[in-house]
Amino acid sequence: MKTISADKTYIDYWQEYGAGSKSRFGIRIWVDRCSAISKVGSENPILLGVRLELPIDLSRTVGQHSLNNILGEHMGRHPDSDLIAVLTGEKAFKDALE
C-alpha cells in the first residue's frame, strides 16, 4: 500500500504484513533519502535504522535486513508498485506523488 503525506514531503510504502493494521512495516521515501519505518503498536511510524541517500543501488543493500525484507514483502503483495523505480532513481519522487 502506498500513502502520500498531506504536505507531499514523503511517501510511505507499507508492507502490510502481520496481524492487524498496527503491525506494519514500510519504507518512507523523501525527495533525497529513504528509511525503513515501523508502526507496530504505535500511533505514528518510527524510523528504523539509518537513512539512505537516493538513488539506491539495491545490490548494495543486501544484508540490511529491515529494508530488504520490507521491499520484498511490499513488492510481493504489490507487484505493480513504483517503489523500486523511486528507490533506484528510475522514477522521480515528484512523479511518484501523482
Side-chain angles (χ1 to χ4, degrees):
M1 177 175 77
K2 174 180 173 179
T3 59
I4 299 171
S5 68
D7 62 1
K8 297 189 177 192
T9 58
Y10 63 84
I11 304 169
D12 289 342
Y13 291 85
W14 291 103
Q15 183 182 32
E16 296 182 305
Y17 180 76
S21 63
K22 293 192 179 203
S23 293
R24 300 192 306 176
F25 294 90
I27 297 174
R28 177 165 289 175
I29 299 179
W30 295 270
V31 69
D32 60 349
R33 65 194 184 285
C34 72
S35 178
I37 54 176
S38 170
K39 192 174 178 181
V40 177
S42 65
E43 187 66 27
N44 297 308
I46 58 170
L47 301 179
L48 299 174
V50 298
R51 293 181 187 184
L52 301 173
E53 290 186 28
L54 297 180
I56 293 177
D57 175 356
L58 292 177
S59 68
R60 300 191 73 198
T61 66
V62 174
Q64 294 183 10
H65 186 268
S66 57
L67 183 69
N68 283 333
N69 279 348
I70 295 166
L71 181 62
E73 287 288 337
H74 176 84
M75 295 308 297
R77 292 179 185 266
H78 307 283
D80 295 331
S81 175
D82 60 358
L83 174 57
I84 290 176
V86 178
L87 287 174
T88 61
E90 292 176 29
K91 184 173 190 175
F93 177 81
K94 66 179 180 77
D95 294 335
L97 291 171
E98 299 174 2

